[in-house]
């Protein structure tokens, strides 16, 4: 805050040395003659309204204030033009959001347009322009130079500022072409206004000023409707993209990125709602996902909690409106906020929080666009969950949660293809079978047997090497697919696994005894190992080899041991 105040003071000192000094110098050396102050007041009103309600082109404001300042300059000279322009600057600042404080922006823009007014007036004088002249071609040439220099030097100053800030921006762009094309629009407009004032007088304000103002309003409204239609089309494209994603995580990440990009939000947070509490699900700041240690929010706590409690969206224009409400995390640059509930079937599923570093950045109409996007999001999440459940049922064992036989064969085929294409050098299969499992079922009951299978599955999954796959092959048999692991390493892994299983206590509650109480059971396992390409380069043969090693080399040799396939 002290740095901002110091910076404002520096701008104020520079402003004092340039703007008031410049106005006084112009007034003393080039005083206005026969000024109609009523006309000047109307010029000021039209200048203010023109800049406060600019015409929008692709969302970019176009300020045609020269149509007012040029006639004021031609009638009364530079001093009156500078007064009209300086007051019009206030409207520009009020109509455009910015991260800079309003007073700083005023000082900067006031100095810039003072410089532009003086430079343009100098060139007007160089080419022979005269204040109050009505000679057609000399006035046209002089006004053209005036407007061109005003636009050119404005672009030069902006280019220098962009270079100073080290912002990547093309030298030539459509926006630059539009600026110069506007000269051809403003030139006849400003001259027509000027000649009408000279010939008709005050009635010119009604003949031209008022119609121009309302036409600009109509164009602005049309552009706003076009912007809404464009946003609706973009929202539809985003919804179609979300519907094509197959996992819940992919839908969530894509939604957060797309919304952040569409609304130009520097900060985007998605909160998950469970039983009256909000948990931060995803954090996206300045175009990248980040991890934030954020405490749970209850209904009514913080901004997101208030949205949850009221089930209504909230828009804040600047930091001072919400700073006392916010809880825990709120980056210093954050200003405008748009926070909405995401509902499905009359129930709040999540809360979306968007924030910008610019003040008064979000508009009410965006709520409808966001509501549509949230609808697409909830439908896509539900679809992705359904697809994931379907895939899980198709690929997973319902009892253990491990991959099933079908998936294991597909995965083994994939890994074998990688081996043949030299993407990996080795591929091993480890097949495990529980010893005397029928005896476990007969002694403790099938439910206890199922409990042991479930607990063993978790243990096998926890032991899975990176890049490997483990699944239930059938009954009490399990299979590891280990790409990139040679037979010797696979045998060592199997031996470590066998020992760990044999030492583990499995706690069950038998259902074949009257007095049901927890009971510790220990099991052993027999394991067979086969590898490619040393043993075979065929998928089914690799499985059969591991199976042969399991039964012939381990079980028939006494069980509770590891055997590798030997040709």
């Amino acid at each position: 805050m002290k740095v901002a105040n110091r910076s404002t003071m520096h701008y104020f000192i520079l402003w004092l040395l340039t703007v008031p000094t410049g106005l006084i110098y112009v007034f003393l050396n080039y005083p206005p003659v026969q000024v109609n102050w009523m006309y000047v007041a109307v010029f000021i009103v039209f200048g203010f309204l023109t800049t406060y309600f600019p015409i929008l082109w692709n969302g970019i404001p176009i300020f045609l204030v020269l149509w007012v300042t040029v006639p004021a300059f031609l009638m009364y000279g530079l001093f009156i033009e500078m007064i009209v322009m300086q007051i019009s600057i206030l409207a520009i600042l009020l109509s455009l959001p910015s991260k800079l404080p309003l007073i700083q922006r005023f000082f900067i823009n006031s100095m810039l347009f003072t410089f532009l007014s003086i430079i343009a007036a100098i060139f007007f004088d160089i080419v022979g322009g005269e204040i109050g002249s009505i000679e057609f071609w000399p006035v046209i040439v002089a006004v053209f130079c005036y407007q061109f220099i005003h636009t050119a030097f404005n672009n030069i100053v902006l280019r220098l500022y962009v270079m100073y800030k080290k912002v990547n921006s093309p030298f030539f762009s459509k926006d630059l072409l539009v600026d110069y094309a506007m000269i051809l629009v403003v030139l006849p407009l400003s001259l027509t206004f000027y000649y009408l004032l000279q010939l008709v007088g005050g009635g010119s304000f009604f003949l031209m000023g008022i119609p121009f103002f309302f036409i600009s309003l109509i164009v602005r409204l049309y552009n706003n409707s076009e912007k809404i239609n464009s946003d609706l089309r973009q929202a539809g494209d985003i919804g179609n993209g979300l519907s094509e994603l197959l996992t819940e995580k992919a839908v969530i990440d894509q939604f957060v990125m797309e919304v952040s990009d569409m609304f130009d939000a520097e900060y985007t947070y998605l909160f998950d709602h469970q039983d009256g509490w909000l948990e931060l699900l995803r954090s996206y700041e300045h175009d990248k996902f980040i991890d934030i240690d954020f405490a749970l929010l209850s209904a009514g706590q913080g901004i997101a909690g208030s949205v949850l409690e009221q089930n209504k969206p909230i828009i804040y224009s600047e930091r001072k409106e919400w700073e006392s409400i916010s809880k825990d995390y709120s980056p210093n640059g954050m200003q405008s906020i748009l926070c909405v509930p995401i509902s499905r079937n009359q129930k709040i599923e999540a809360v979306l929080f968007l924030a910008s570093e610019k003040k008064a950045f979000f508009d009410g109409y965006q709520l409808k666009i966001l509501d549509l996007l949230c609808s697409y999001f909830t439908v896509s999440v539900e679809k992705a969950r359904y697809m994931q459940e379907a895939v899980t049922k198709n690929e997973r064992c319902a009892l253990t949660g491990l991959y099933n036989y079908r998936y294991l064969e597909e995965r083994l085929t994939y890994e074998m293809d990688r081996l043949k294409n030299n993407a990996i050098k080795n591929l091993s299969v480890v097949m495990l079978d529980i010893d005397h499992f029928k005896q476990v079922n007969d002694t403790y009951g099938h439910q206890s047997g199922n409990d042991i299978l479930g607990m063993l599955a978790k243990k096998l999954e926890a032991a899975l090497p990176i890049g490997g796959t483990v699944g239930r092959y059938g009954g009490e048999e399990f299979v590891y697919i280990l790409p990139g692991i040679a037979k010797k390493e696979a045998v060592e892994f199997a031996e470590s696994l066998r020992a760990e299983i044999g030492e583990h206590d499995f706690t069950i509650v038998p259902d074949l005894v009257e007095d049901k109480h927890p009971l510790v059971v220990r099991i052993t396992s027999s394991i067979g190992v086969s590898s490619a390409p040393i043993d075979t380069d065929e998928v089914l043969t690799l499985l059969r080899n591991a199976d042969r090693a399991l039964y012939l080399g381990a079980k028939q040799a006494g069980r509770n041991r590891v055997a590798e396939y030997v040709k």
Side-chain angles (χ1 to χ4, degrees):
M1 186 62 72
K2 290 182 179 179
V3 174
N5 290 336
R6 192 182 305 119
S7 179
T8 301
M9 182 57 66
H10 290 162
Y11 284 123
F12 175 65
I13 293 172
L14 286 173
W15 180 82
L16 280 178
L17 293 174
T18 54
V19 178
T21 303
L23 284 169
I24 293 171
Y25 176 82
V26 170
F27 182 79
L28 293 177
N29 290 276
Y30 307 97
V33 180
Q34 296 180 346
V35 178
N36 186 325
W37 291 104
M38 180 64 70
Y39 282 14
V40 172
V42 179
F43 279 134
I44 289 173
V45 170
F46 277 120
F48 187 91
L49 292 176
T50 300
T51 51
Y52 190 76
F53 299 102
I55 294 174
L56 297 177
W57 182 79
N58 287 343
I60 300 171
I62 299 175
F63 300 99
L64 302 180
V65 68
L66 287 175
W67 87 275
V68 175
T69 58
V70 168
F73 172 72
L74 289 173
M75 291 191 69
Y76 303 120
L78 180 58
F79 178 77
I80 297 300
E81 186 273 345
M82 291 175 69
I83 294 296
V84 174
M85 181 64 80
Q86 291 293 314
I87 295 177
S88 299
I89 289 170
L90 290 174
I92 297 176
L93 302 182
L94 292 173
S95 64
L96 294 179
S98 174
K99 293 184 287 185
L100 289 175
L102 179 63
I103 189 67
Q104 278 192 25
R105 293 164 59 207
F106 172 75
F107 291 147
I108 294 171
N109 283 275
S110 177
M111 289 186 288
L112 169 63
F113 282 98
T114 296
F115 167 75
L116 294 178
S117 294
I118 293 173
I119 291 293
I122 290 173
F123 274 84
F124 176 86
D125 187 61
I126 289 174
V127 298
E130 294 183 10
I131 302 300
S133 173
I134 58 173
E135 294 184 33
F136 189 72
W137 288 110
V139 171
I140 284 182
V141 172
V143 170
F144 175 81
C145 291
Y146 177 93
Q147 292 183 342
F148 181 83
I149 293 301
H150 200 286
T151 302
F153 273 84
N154 183 42
N155 285 315
I156 290 171
V157 172
L158 291 177
R159 170 54 51 181
L160 293 173
Y161 178 78
V162 167
M163 293 172 61
Y164 171 73
K165 288 293 185 177
K166 297 180 179 179
V167 177
N168 291 326
S169 178
F171 186 81
F172 294 103
S173 64
K174 290 182 179 179
D175 298 342
L176 187 65
L177 293 176
V178 169
D179 282 344
Y180 289 103
M182 284 300 105
I183 294 176
L184 301 178
V185 175
V186 177
L187 176 64
L189 193 65
S190 57
L191 284 176
T192 302
F193 193 16
Y194 168 64
Y195 280 118
L196 276 175
L197 284 167
Q198 291 284 25
L199 297 174
V200 179
S204 304
F205 292 110
F206 295 96
L207 290 174
M208 191 167 182
I210 293 176
F212 174 81
F213 173 68
F214 281 105
I215 288 172
S216 65
L217 278 183
I218 292 171
V219 172
R220 181 182 175 90
L221 291 173
Y222 172 78
N223 280 291
N224 283 340
S225 66
E226 283 293 295
K227 178 70 168 81
I228 293 173
N229 290 334
S230 174
D231 286 347
L232 287 172
R233 288 192 294 270
Q234 186 178 353
D237 292 339
I238 292 173
N240 291 333
L242 292 175
S243 66
E244 294 174 358
L245 301 175
L246 301 179
T247 66
E248 183 178 355
K249 183 180 183 303
V251 171
I252 290 173
D253 287 354
Q254 186 72 12
F255 173 72
V256 169
M257 289 189 294
E258 293 285 4
V259 169
S260 178
D261 179 64
M262 182 174 181
F263 290 86
D264 291 326
E266 285 88 1
Y267 309 93
T268 303
Y269 310 108
L270 183 65
F271 294 87
D272 184 40
H273 174 224
Q274 295 291 339
D275 301 324
W277 292 88
L278 291 177
E279 179 182 6
L280 184 60
L281 194 61
R282 296 300 273 154
S283 309
Y284 193 69
E285 296 186 1
H286 297 286
D287 300 327
K288 63 181 180 180
F289 287 102
I290 63 170
D291 293 323
I292 298 175
D293 185 14
F294 199 94
L296 293 175
L297 292 175
S298 63
Q301 185 180 16
I303 298 171
S306 298
V307 169
L308 174 63
E309 182 180 52
Q310 300 171 18
N311 193 17
K312 292 181 180 179
I314 290 178
I315 297 180
Y316 291 112
S317 296
E318 55 183 312
R319 190 179 187 90
K320 65 182 182 181
E321 295 178 0
W322 55 262
E323 196 163 22
S324 61
I325 306 170
S326 178
K327 299 294 181 182
D328 296 329
Y329 184 79
S330 54
N332 292 330
M334 193 181 289
Q335 288 287 347
S336 303
I337 286 176
L338 173 59
C339 190
V340 298
I342 301 177
S343 301
R344 177 74 171 164
N345 297 326
Q346 308 299 318
K347 177 185 176 184
I348 298 180
E349 300 285 346
V351 171
L352 179 65
F353 183 105
L354 302 175
S356 170
E357 294 181 349
K358 299 176 183 177
K359 295 181 179 179
F361 187 68
F362 298 111
D363 202 328
Y365 88 90
Q366 293 174 315
L367 290 174
K368 295 181 180 179
I369 306 296
L370 201 52
D371 184 57
L372 179 61
L373 283 171
C374 290
S375 298
Y376 286 134
F377 171 65
T378 55
V379 171
S380 298
V381 166
E382 190 170 325
K383 177 185 174 183
R385 286 173 180 169
Y386 173 79
M387 294 295 294
Q388 284 179 282
E389 289 176 3
V391 169
T392 298
K393 289 178 181 178
N394 189 48
E395 296 181 347
R396 298 276 183 172
C397 163
L399 176 63
T400 63
L402 299 180
Y403 288 111
N404 58 24
Y405 172 83
R406 179 187 300 176
Y407 180 85
L408 288 172
E409 282 198 336
E410 291 176 354
R411 187 68 187 183
L412 189 56
T413 300
Y414 167 76
E415 298 294 356
M416 186 64 79
D417 288 340
R418 292 179 66 209
L419 179 73
K420 292 177 180 179
N421 293 326
N422 297 318
I424 54 176
K425 293 182 178 180
N426 301 283
L427 175 61
S428 295
V429 169
V430 174
M431 185 175 289
L432 177 149
D433 183 83
I434 301 174
D435 296 329
H436 304 295
F437 191 67
K438 183 177 182 302
Q439 184 178 339
V440 172
N441 284 330
D442 293 342
T443 304
Y444 304 110
H446 286 280
Q447 182 57 49
S448 294
N450 289 342
D451 292 341
I452 289 176
L453 287 175
M455 288 183 282
L456 177 62
K458 291 180 181 179
K459 191 163 189 63
L460 296 180
E461 196 166 28
L464 179 65
I466 296 175
T469 303
V470 62
R472 186 184 181 193
Y473 195 64
E476 62 270 22
E477 287 184 335
F478 299 85
V479 167
Y480 281 97
I481 299 173
L482 305 175
I485 295 181
K487 180 182 282 189
K488 181 181 178 182
E489 189 180 350
V491 170
E492 291 174 355
F493 165 74
E495 185 58 48
S496 172
L497 185 65
R498 181 201 63 80
E500 191 174 339
I501 292 172
E503 295 171 359
H504 185 74
D505 293 336
F506 293 88
T507 302
I508 60 173
V509 179
D511 54 2
L512 294 184
V513 294
E514 294 183 3
D515 184 17
K516 293 184 179 182
H517 61 277
L519 181 67
V520 174
V521 175
R522 284 196 171 183
I523 60 174
T524 60
S525 60
S526 297
I527 303 176
V529 179
S530 178
S531 297
I534 189 171
D535 295 330
T536 182
D537 60 358
E538 298 294 330
V539 171
L540 294 179
T541 304
L542 187 62
L543 279 171
R544 282 198 295 266
N545 289 344
D547 193 38
R548 284 172 61 85
L550 168 63
Y551 282 94
L552 297 179
K555 283 195 176 292
Q556 289 187 11
R559 293 184 172 83
N560 192 23
R561 63 189 63 208
V562 174
E564 60 181 280
Y565 173 77
V566 179
K567 293 184 179 179

